[in-house]
Amino acid sequence: MSISSSTPELIGPENQKLIKATIAPNETRNIAFSVKTPLIGSEGAHWISCKIGDIECSTQIKIVAPITARVSPPRADILRSGALPDSIAASSKIRVITENRSDEKMEVGIITGRNAEKVTLTGRQQTDTIMTVTAPFNTPGNYVSPVAIRLGDKELTRVPISIGVPAVS
C-alpha cells in the first residue's frame, strides 16, 4: 500500500514508504497515518490517495489557516508628502483585524514598515489593532506595502495595503 497527497508535506516521510499488510478477502482493516498541517501557505482543499495494487481510493480534506488577518481600510493616505518622518503628517492609521481560528493561545507579531506590535490571541478570538503606517517614500505616488503577521520567527501571512502619498503638500 502506498499513500500520496496533492501536497507532499502533509504526509511525512514516515507515511510515504510502502506499507506492507496482508488482508484476507472480505476483511476490513484500519491503517492509521498522521497528516501534518503546516502553518503557512496550505489553506484550501487537498487530496490524499491510498493505492493497493491496481486499486486506488482518495479523499479530500480542507485545511484552514490557524491565523488570518485583514486590513481596514485597504488604503492609507499620508497627509503630506515630504513631511518629517516622525511627524503625524507623514503617517496614517489602519486597523489590522487578526483572528485565531485554533483552540491554542498564540502570540503574533504585526509588522507595518518600521512599526511592530505583539498581540496575544486566545483560542477562537479576533482582535483589532490600530497600527501606524508611514510613507515608504517621500515622493508622491501610490505604493503597495505589506502588513506581515508573524508567529515567532515564521511569517504566517502578508496582507497588502495601498499607501497614497499626495503630490501637493
Side-chain angles (χ1 to χ4, degrees):
M1 178 175 89
S2 63
I3 299 170
S4 60
S5 173
S6 58
T7 310
E9 59 266 16
L10 292 179
I11 301 174
E14 68 278 3
N15 291 320
Q16 292 177 354
K17 63 184 177 218
L18 193 62
I19 299 169
K20 294 182 180 179
T22 302
I23 301 175
N26 296 323
E27 178 187 358
T28 301
R29 183 176 300 176
N30 292 327
I31 298 173
F33 61 93
S34 61
V35 176
K36 298 179 180 189
T37 53
L39 285 175
I40 315 167
S42 292
E43 183 164 281
H46 304 272
W47 59 262
I48 296 174
S49 179
C50 173
K51 187 172 184 177
I52 303 172
D54 293 337
I55 301 169
E56 185 171 1
C57 63
S58 297
T59 189
Q60 188 173 17
I61 60 173
K62 179 180 179 183
I63 295 178
V64 178
I67 299 287
T68 62
R70 63 186 190 282
V71 175
S72 178
R75 177 182 167 89
D77 288 308
I78 305 303
L79 297 177
R80 189 166 56 92
S81 63
L84 294 174
D86 59 347
S87 73
I88 195 159
S91 64
S92 183
K93 301 283 187 192
I94 60 167
R95 186 168 59 118
V96 180
I97 303 108
T98 50
E99 179 185 2
N100 181 356
R101 295 175 172 174
S102 76
D103 294 326
E104 302 296 319
K105 179 177 163 182
M106 293 191 192
E107 184 175 82
V108 296
I110 304 171
I111 302 164
T112 59
R114 291 179 234 119
N115 302 310
E117 289 280 335
K118 278 193 178 182
V119 176
T120 302
L121 298 163
T122 58
R124 308 280 178 204
Q125 180 194 9
Q126 175 179 305
T127 188
D128 294 3
T129 306
I130 304 299
M131 297 290 293
T132 301
V133 177
T134 56
F137 301 101
N138 279 339
T139 55
N142 288 313
Y143 304 97
V144 176
S145 183
V147 175
I149 309 297
R150 299 185 64 87
L151 180 64
D153 62 345
K154 292 186 179 185
E155 186 173 291
L156 297 178
T157 189
R158 282 179 170 237
V159 181
I161 184 165
S162 177
I163 300 174
V165 179
V168 183
S169 53

